[in-house]
Amino acid sequence: MKSTLDSKNLPILLPVLAFSLVLMIWELMVRVGCWSTDVFPEPLRVIISMGELISDGTLFKHVISSLFRVTIGFYLAIALGIPLGMLLGRREIVKHLFNPVIQFLRPISPLAWIPLSMLWFGIGDKPAVFLIFLSSFFPLVVSTTAAVISINPVFFQVAANFNFNRLEVITKIIIPAILPSIFTALRISLGIAWLVVVAAEMIAVKSGLGYLILDSRNALRMDYVIDGMIVIGAIGLFIDFFMKRLGRIDSVFWASATR
Amino acid sequence: MGHIVIENLRKEYSNRRHFSRSPGSNPAEYREIIRVLDDINLEFEDGEMVSILGPSGCGKSTLLRIIAGFDKATSGSIRIDQKEVKGPSPNHIFVFQHSALLPWMTVRQNVGLGLRNIEDKARMEEKIKEYIEMVELGGFEHHYPYQLSGGMQRRAELARAIAANPDVLFMDEPFTGLDFLTHMRSREETVNVHEYIGKTILFVTHDIDDALIMGDRIVVLGGKPSRVKMERTLHFPRPRDFEKYPELGKLRSEVFLMLGVPYAV
Ligand SMILES: Nc1ncnc2c1ncn2[C@@H]1O[C@H](COP(=O)(O)OP(=O)(O)OP(=O)(O)O)[C@@H](O)[C@H]1O
Ligand SMILES: [Mg+2]
């Protein structure tokens, strides 16, 4: 008879074990703790209310809103951050000009921008999108710059030798060379963006997972609060998995093989 | 075409000094000028295969890079076919000391770099195939460089260089890091390729035998700063070996002696 504990099943089996453990501890805390189940609901109740949220469509609506904002903000960060990073990496003068400002702005948490973003963009999607943009913009600029600087100079000499024009240098040398590290940077900054969206939605908007959590707390529905947290975690997990998969496509495979 | 004239070439590097400065001295004095090459006068005929020899650090790579336009001479002039060299050009392809295949491109794409301006795509593919087969890499068109052995990478790079149809080919120690047999085969292949395309090839090597077996001419650099210590045209027909041509053997001992090894083994 084949054991279920062979090494092929382990990567699935062990996480399932850990999750069950968390569930058990949760259940235990509810039972021995002195909170009322309205304040700290047990797993079963959370699962039932999850069903409610799914069947009446609210959960779907909030998930879509959050994903929409993250997508827009993230794309904006890519569209501006990566070209700027390339410029910083290739042009010494531009780097000396902008790098100090970027290094200064980078450690400021996107959440510190909440007051200003509301002042500038008012109420609605815009301030939230702006915060998400900020959260991924700086990490993307910094890692793109670093990646461009570390490109082997021989490749630029090859480009000069074969008479590449500027566009070809970008599309045939710079982009493919930095792609592997860019994928890692994208994965990390998308993770940050997903962290920030919840906070951003606690202000100024009436939809999204962050809003769901805030609104449920105000209505004293802690089961919905926990549902919101679970969905955020699950989607975050899925995004990370998806980005890891992207990093394995053929055109970036050479990097892991040559390293 | 590939007639090269080098006149009064000199190359200096200025290095920043790191040892302590005496107070009140002029900042300009912190820089130390190192003259690497001096008084280099050479002329290479079109289609010649020239081997450049010299001890490590004597400036062989530097000389090659300057002729190819990747580096600037401090003074002097270099003309290829009567035209002053101002920078890199697809007419003068450099094969780098360490593999410079683009790792994100397949062999086919790499070899195609010098052919990418051909309008007719079918003809382009045909040419790529021809050059890949010339270096016996048929079947590896869709492999990435990391999937090739060191020797195959060198051959792919050679194919890429030749495909660009340059007037001059520069090779900086093209055989380092290859095992003995691959080295011997690559030597032979390079000679064959040279005979086939008939272009000027300048190659730098540490290996005296490579230089004598392959070159139509050898140039030995040496001294501080380096100058041309010996320049010889080799009229021996190929394939060459030292027993067949005792004069070549004598020259070999002479070069060994010149490079500081009294007893050639
Ligand atoms: N960018 C640079 N700045 C300062 N000095 C340099 C620079 N490049 C080379 N040199 C010096 O020039 C000299 C010649 O270097 P080069 O690489 O041409 O030698 P080489 O003959 O090719 O040596 P090897 O056979 O080891 O490859 C060396 O002494 C080196 O220290
Ligand atoms: Mg060298």
Side-chain angles (χ1 to χ4, degrees):
Chain A
M1 207 180 85
K2 232 173 109 187
S3 156
T4 42
L5 259 180
D6 65 22
S7 56
K8 227 172 93 194
N9 290 332
L10 271 184
I12 304 166
L13 216 63
L14 288 182
V16 168
L17 200 73
F19 272 112
S20 334
L21 205 68
V22 170
L23 271 180
M24 265 161 60
I25 293 174
W26 177 4
E27 180 76 36
L28 210 68
M29 277 170 73
V30 174
R31 293 208 180 172
V32 301
C34 49
W35 306 287
S36 108
T37 49
D38 281 337
V39 180
F40 192 36
E42 74 278 14
L44 189 63
R45 181 142 157 220
V46 168
I47 291 167
I48 292 168
S49 45
M50 178 83 85
E52 291 166 19
L53 283 178
I54 292 172
S55 57
D56 71 1
T58 36
L59 187 65
F60 186 68
K61 193 188 82 188
H62 289 310
V63 166
I64 293 299
S65 310
S66 290
L67 284 178
F68 169 76
R69 288 181 194 120
V70 167
T71 309
I72 302 287
F74 192 59
Y75 277 149
L76 276 177
I78 291 176
L80 295 176
I82 291 182
L84 181 62
M86 287 185 194
L87 203 63
L88 259 63
R90 284 299 286 164
R91 295 270 174 273
E92 198 83 343
I93 300 172
V94 182
K95 192 179 154 208
H96 287 312
L97 188 65
F98 286 122
N99 207 35
V101 179
I102 289 169
Q103 295 300 341
F104 170 76
L105 291 175
R106 195 164 71 105
I108 302 175
S109 160
L111 305 185
W113 288 87
I114 288 178
L116 278 182
S117 67
M118 286 176 73
L119 184 71
W120 292 337
F121 300 104
I123 302 274
D125 281 337
K126 279 186 210 153
V129 167
F130 175 68
L131 291 180
I132 292 157
F133 163 79
L134 275 182
S135 72
S136 2
F137 177 72
F138 292 112
L140 277 180
V141 173
V142 171
S143 41
T144 307
T145 308
V148 170
I149 289 174
S150 67
I151 297 175
N152 185 345
V154 162
F155 298 143
F156 291 109
Q157 296 185 339
V158 171
N161 214 167
F162 285 93
N163 217 4
F164 281 21
N165 59 35
R166 206 167 283 181
L167 185 70
E168 283 176 313
V169 171
I170 293 173
T171 57
K172 290 186 178 161
I173 307 282
I174 297 180
I175 291 180
I178 65 175
L179 213 53
S181 27
I182 290 300
F183 268 113
T184 314
L186 286 179
R187 207 179 115 212
I188 291 166
S189 49
L190 189 53
I192 300 172
W194 190 241
L195 274 181
V196 167
V197 71
V198 176
E201 283 168 350
M202 291 191 171
I203 52 142
V205 287
K206 292 254 172 290
S207 64
L209 292 167
Y211 172 76
L212 171 69
I213 289 176
L214 187 78
D215 191 49
S216 309
R217 194 211 57 176
N218 290 342
L220 292 177
R221 288 296 302 262
M222 292 306 282
D223 46 344
Y224 287 168
V225 171
I226 296 177
D227 286 333
M229 292 169 66
I230 292 173
V231 173
I232 290 168
I235 292 177
L237 207 64
F238 173 76
I239 289 175
D240 200 57
F241 175 78
F242 179 72
M243 293 301 288
K244 255 191 210 157
R245 265 295 148 90
L246 269 189
R248 264 190 244 155
I249 57 174
D250 223 26
S251 59
V252 294
F253 190 68
W254 60 268
S256 47
T258 41
R259 211 164 272 152
Chain B
M1 298 280 270
H3 178 88
I4 303 173
V5 180
I6 302 163
E7 275 173 355
N8 302 321
L9 181 117
R10 171 184 295 170
K11 176 66 182 175
E12 287 166 351
Y13 284 111
S14 78
N15 285 339
R16 208 169 293 152
R17 289 195 195 198
H18 291 292
F19 42 85
S20 67
R21 335 168 153 178
S22 55
S25 63
N26 183 348
E29 285 170 23
Y30 306 151
R31 305 199 137 262
E32 135 189 76
I33 304 286
I34 295 182
R35 187 171 295 178
V36 178
L37 296 167
D38 195 15
D39 192 26
I40 307 281
N41 289 285
L42 290 165
E43 181 170 353
F44 305 132
E45 299 303 325
D46 180 25
E48 229 178 357
M49 169 109 97
V50 182
S51 10
I52 299 171
L53 272 169
S56 181
C58 74
K60 304 182 294 293
S61 298
T62 305
L63 176 63
L64 214 58
R65 292 166 48 81
I66 292 174
I67 305 173
F70 283 112
D71 213 337
K72 289 257 173 301
T74 308
S75 65
S77 89
I78 291 145
R79 276 168 289 141
I80 300 184
D81 297 327
Q82 277 84 49
K83 275 203 304 261
E84 198 73 30
V85 173
K86 292 215 180 68
S89 145
N91 289 332
H92 321 139
I93 298 286
F94 201 103
V95 179
F96 289 88
Q97 191 163 2
H98 305 284
S99 173
L101 292 170
L102 301 181
W104 45 85
M105 290 186 180
T106 60
V107 170
R108 192 185 66 78
Q109 290 168 321
N110 265 296
V111 174
L113 285 186
L115 300 164
R116 68 194 192 289
N117 293 328
I118 296 180
E119 295 284 326
D120 182 354
K121 290 300 153 200
R123 214 177 90 80
M124 186 181 97
E125 291 299 330
E126 207 174 283
K127 284 225 140 197
I128 292 176
K129 204 164 147 29
E130 180 191 325
Y131 287 108
I132 288 178
E133 263 153 27
M134 181 170 171
V135 295
E136 292 169 31
L137 281 177
F140 292 94
E141 287 88 348
H142 300 290
H143 282 56
Y144 285 90
Y146 74 86
Q147 294 166 317
L148 305 177
S149 72
M152 290 159 87
Q153 290 182 16
R154 299 296 171 87
R155 276 186 275 153
E157 204 176 330
L158 186 61
R160 178 176 80 178
I162 300 164
N165 194 24
D167 298 331
V168 187
L169 209 61
F170 300 95
M171 303 172 88
D172 192 350
E173 299 189 28
F175 309 137
T176 39
L178 300 180
D179 66 87
F180 181 75
L181 287 177
T182 317
H183 181 155
M184 291 300 130
R185 277 197 55 197
S186 306
R187 185 198 265 178
E188 204 179 301
E189 270 161 14
T190 312
V191 168
N192 290 342
V193 163
H194 175 245
E195 245 151 47
Y196 180 68
I197 61 172
K199 302 297 164 96
T200 310
I201 298 182
L202 262 58
F203 78 97
V204 159
T205 176
H206 274 134
D207 190 315
I208 295 169
D209 290 357
D210 278 354
L212 293 173
I213 298 269
M214 294 170 66
D216 294 317
R217 178 197 298 260
I218 62 164
V219 173
V220 182
L221 298 178
K224 272 197 185 304
S226 283
R227 297 165 200 268
V228 178
K229 282 176 81 176
M230 180 203 258
E231 192 192 352
R232 285 286 169 83
T233 310
L234 308 176
H235 292 294
F236 309 96
R238 297 187 184 86
R240 297 174 180 165
D241 78 50
F242 295 107
E243 262 131 59
K244 204 157 68 184
Y245 305 107
E247 260 179 85
L248 201 62
K250 246 176 66 196
L251 188 60
R252 180 171 181 257
S253 314
E254 211 177 308
V255 175
F256 264 106
L257 195 65
M258 186 171 279
L259 293 176
V261 185
Y263 304 104
V265 276

